[in-house]
Every structure is written in C-alpha cells, then in structure tokens.
Amino acid sequence: MGNIAGPGSRMELKDAMPRTGGVMVDIAESNLLGSSPQFAHVIAQIRRIAKFDVTVLIGGETGTGKELGARAVHYLSARASRPFIAVNCGALADSLVESELFGHERGAFTDARQASPGLVSEAEGGTLFLDEIDTLSPKAQASLLRFLQDGTYRRVGGTQTRTTDVRMIAASNANLDEMVKARQFRRDLLYRLKVMPLVMPPLRERGGDVLELAEAFLTRLNRQYGAQTSRKCFDPAFLASLQRYSWPGNVRELEHFVQREYLMCEGQVILGGPPQDLAQAPVQAGDDAAFKQAKARAIADFERSYVASAMARARGNITQAARMAGQDRSAFSKLVSKYRLASVVGQEQDSGE
Amino acid sequence: MCADSAEGVQQWWLRPAGFEVSLDLVVAGLRVLEGEGVVECRRLGTREIWRLRRGGD
C-alpha cells in the first residue's frame, strides 16, 4: 500500500482529505480531463453550478461520466468537506427504496431488527447522488418529491418528521421527458430535479479528448504499475486507431480498453489495431479504395475471430492452437501477436513446453 | 466530516494530493486504517462509504 498503509499513513490520508479554502487547487483539473470546446463548456457549467446550492439533474449516455460530474459539483462546492453519498437507485429493491433513502424505525418491517438512519441522514450537510433515477417506483418518486418540496421526511414506521440539509444530484441516461409523456415518471418530480440540468457529452463529440484521455490514463497506469512493469507508451498507429473508433461505451470503454492493452502489452510500446467499429461507413460500389479497405477489414475480422476461437479452445496454448488450425506455429504465433490474443496463462503454458 | 466510496477517495481525496494508486490498493489501505481504528466503513445499500472514525480520534 506504500504511502497510504505505511508508517505515518494516517497523517497522509488526513492531509489528503478534501477541504475548502483552496488547499487542493487541482481537485477539478486532476479528474475533469479534456480540453475540447464541448467538454470545456461542461467544466464551466460544473464550476458555475457548484457555487449554487441547488438540485442538479445530470444526463448523458452510459459511460460519459455522470457520477464524475456529480462528484465534481460536490467537491467544488461549499459542501466538499461533508459526505458524498452515491446511490444506484436501480440496484435498490423496490420494496426497500424508501427505507434505504429515509431510514426506518426498529420493527418497521420483518427484517428491521434495529433502527436505521437512511441515506438522506448519512449525507447530512453533503450531497446525495441518486443515479438511475428513472428506475424509482411511483411510490418512491412520491416520497422523493415530498422530500424535495420541503426538506422533511419520515423514517419508515416512524411518526417523527425530520429535516436534513442535503444537496440532491440525480442522474439518468433515460429520456425523462419521454418517460413523463408515457406516465412512467412524475412531471412534478422532473421539474424539481431539473433546476440545473447538466449533460455529459458522448466521447465521439469530444474531438481530440480521446487522445488526451488515453494519454492521461496511460500516465496513471505507468504510475500505478511502474514498480511491476516497464514504462509504456503508445504507438502512433495505435493512437490513430483510437480516433477512428466511435466509442459507444464512451470514456468508461476507452479507460478499460487502454487498461487492457496496457496490461497485455509485454513490451514498452502499445501497438495494435483499432477496436472493431460498428459505426463504419457503408462501402460505396465503384470505389476501389473503399473496396480494398473493406476487404482488408473483413480479412482482419475473420483472422482475429478465428485465432481468438482457436486460442480459447486451446486454453491459450499457442502450439496447440496452431496445430488445431493446421498452421505453422511461427506463422500462427505472429497472428496471435498481431491481434494481441495471447493471455498470460497461454504464454506460461507455452514457455513450459 | 467528509465521507465517500473507495472510488471517491481514490479520485477526489488522493489523486489531487499527488497519490496515484489503483483502486485495489486504496481499498487495501482503507482496510488497514479501519483495523487501526482511523477510518470506518459504512455499508449503504450496495456501496461502502468510508469516513474518519467518528469519536475515535
């Protein structure tokens, strides 16, 4: 654990804790990565929103960083030294949403052996982040609306009306306006949540941020794994391939992709082709260049799929996979390297032969 | 008075302070500090929230 768990770690952890007053000047810059005009606009919005203690509704596709945006609002606000409590509404059992949010008294229901304060109380003074707000049941929506209207709530099974000081940030990748039209989401709740709307843009609309983010993720990986592996860098062709891809899974997909390529890369240069893009332009007849590109892509897709299948059946053993494919081991090994399909297990098995 | 998940600790407490460590290491470090009575873990719904142990300093 290095610095964190070693002697003196308590002081270091305490020192690292967020506080107001401008001590940690890079708190936003170190997490909000990207300099495209689209993302710069979002950062400016976040900084502005953070100043005002109002409810925020964050939209955006999956993987765009809605929770990151919520934390940025919290840690740039006057509530930074108070709790940030994130809740995935979709992961809460429908029958327990109210007791999870607002707590319950002892004996309120069968399993309530002791009283629980609830998430709203845990977030006292800070921020409560409700992700996947669209999954709340009508009953839970009504309870949340009541709380947003006057800041009061009652524990399940309780009679005492309680108050708390919490900033609410909600997020959803669903179209809540459409859900209101379909009577699946309360209009009055949407208006209460939408005091400050914030939309995280998809990565495909953020231009050069793809490369900036990839480099930032690589820098972090080099720091995290520097003691275990050699420092790595990207091959220019690899970077070019990142820009050609549409990243339907957005920043999360890019981060996981870079991490996977980093951990699977044995050398110092991360090579390889682009991920298969589902958003490729259709090939136009009569275009020789397009035909050649499409043919090369089809061959590459077939090779990758065939080699991956053979490697899986051979449990990562290159020699056995080559034999099954009726290929020379050396030639097959080159294909494995080309498509970066060798697993650590496979290499270990092969080296032991 | 602050509290956050391990991801929040990693990204918003440690990273701005210059500590770039993996999430696994952050969790391991928090567990050590929990054992030493420095921090406490609260299980809220499906998540674990970490904060300085209240009344334990």
Side-chain angles (χ1 to χ4, degrees):
Chain A
M1 193 61 207
N3 288 331
I4 296 175
S9 60
R10 273 167 275 190
M11 281 307 297
E12 285 164 3
L13 185 66
K14 282 181 182 176
D15 289 347
M17 285 186 173
R19 50 194 109 161
T20 53
V23 176
M24 303 180 72
V25 291
D26 290 332
I27 196 161
E29 284 82 352
S30 59
N31 281 295
L32 299 173
L33 305 173
S35 55
S36 66
Q38 293 86 345
F39 199 62
H41 177 66
V42 168
I43 294 173
Q45 275 187 304
I46 286 173
R47 288 188 184 283
R48 181 92 183 141
I49 289 170
K51 290 180 189 171
F52 303 102
D53 206 27
V54 294
T55 304
V56 183
L57 178 61
I58 304 179
E61 296 174 9
T62 182
T64 49
K66 292 186 286 294
E67 186 163 336
L68 183 79
R71 275 206 174 82
V73 170
H74 171 76
Y75 283 110
L76 289 169
S77 77
R79 296 178 181 269
S81 57
R82 294 304 187 104
F84 178 89
I85 306 294
V87 188
N88 185 338
C89 297
L92 297 177
D94 195 37
S95 58
L96 294 176
V97 169
E98 277 192 277
S99 74
E100 291 283 355
L101 284 177
F102 303 115
H104 59 256
E105 299 294 353
R106 183 173 174 226
F109 47 89
T110 308
D111 293 330
R113 293 188 186 88
Q114 56 188 20
S116 167
L119 298 167
V120 162
S121 173
E122 292 284 352
E124 171 68 37
T127 301
L128 182 63
F129 173 56
L130 300 178
D131 200 3
E132 296 188 20
I133 191 84
D134 52 287
T135 63
L136 285 181
S137 67
K139 191 175 174 213
Q141 289 180 36
S143 301
L144 183 59
L145 176 66
R146 213 162 35 241
F147 174 68
L148 286 172
Q149 282 171 335
D150 58 13
T152 65
Y153 67 100
R154 279 186 200 168
R155 289 181 179 176
V156 174
T159 53
Q160 183 186 348
T161 300
R162 300 168 185 269
T163 58
T164 186
D165 170 30
V166 169
R167 176 189 217 166
M168 190 78 73
I169 301 180
S172 173
N173 59 10
N175 186 332
L176 294 179
D177 289 308
E178 288 298 322
M179 288 185 71
V180 166
K181 284 181 192 168
R183 296 180 174 273
Q184 294 167 335
F185 200 82
R186 292 182 66 124
R187 185 184 301 276
D188 41 10
L189 177 58
L190 179 59
Y191 290 155
R192 282 280 174 184
L193 294 171
K194 216 175 185 178
V195 178
M196 280 285 185
L198 177 71
V199 178
M200 304 300 285
L203 189 52
R204 63 181 173 278
E205 292 177 7
R206 291 177 54 183
D209 284 357
V210 172
L211 299 187
E212 203 173 317
L213 285 162
E215 293 285 3
F217 296 148
L218 179 65
T219 301
R220 286 178 189 168
L221 290 164
N222 275 325
R223 279 192 208 152
Q224 285 179 18
Y225 297 102
Q228 299 158 47
T229 184
S230 59
R231 189 175 180 80
K232 301 182 196 304
C233 62
F234 291 130
D235 181 76
F238 179 88
L239 287 173
S241 74
L242 297 183
Q243 280 205 301
R244 284 196 298 268
Y245 187 58
S246 61
W247 301 107
N250 293 296
V251 181
R252 186 186 296 132
E253 183 186 10
L254 173 64
E255 183 171 15
H256 290 173
F257 178 74
V258 170
Q259 184 177 27
R260 192 167 62 242
E261 296 300 306
Y262 180 93
L263 295 175
M264 295 303 289
C265 173
E266 287 187 80
Q268 294 185 330
V269 181
I270 299 175
L271 303 161
Q276 187 177 352
D277 198 341
L278 300 175
Q280 288 160 349
V283 178
Q284 299 295 317
D287 185 339
D288 282 351
F291 171 77
K292 286 176 184 170
Q293 284 174 8
K295 184 180 174 185
R297 204 158 54 222
I299 291 171
D301 289 346
F302 167 77
E303 282 184 342
R304 180 196 292 269
S305 169
Y306 188 94
V307 173
S309 171
M311 286 291 284
R313 279 185 289 137
R315 298 186 178 185
N317 186 309
I318 295 176
T319 304
Q320 196 179 336
R323 199 177 297 136
M324 287 163 55
Q327 291 280 305
D328 171 69
R329 187 196 183 285
S330 173
F332 193 84
S333 180
K334 284 178 184 169
L335 286 176
V336 171
S337 298
K338 181 179 176 182
Y339 296 112
R340 305 179 315 288
L341 294 167
S343 68
V344 175
V345 173
Q347 288 153 16
E348 283 173 355
Q349 285 176 344
D350 260 37
S351 65
E353 287 185 349
Chain B
M1 295 297 286
C2 50
D4 207 332
S5 63
E7 289 86 352
V9 172
Q10 178 198 36
Q11 295 168 9
W12 294 90
W13 300 11
L14 298 178
R15 184 172 291 155
F19 298 102
E20 192 63 65
V21 287
S22 69
L23 188 60
D24 290 344
L25 285 177
V26 172
V27 172
L30 287 167
R31 297 256 179 248
V32 170
L33 292 177
E34 183 184 26
E36 293 179 0
V38 179
V39 299
E40 62 184 4
C41 179
R42 306 269 295 159
R43 180 167 282 281
L44 303 176
T46 56
R47 301 203 188 199
E48 288 185 336
I49 301 298
W50 295 88
R51 65 187 186 192
L52 274 181
R53 189 176 168 199
R54 296 194 176 165
D57 286 339

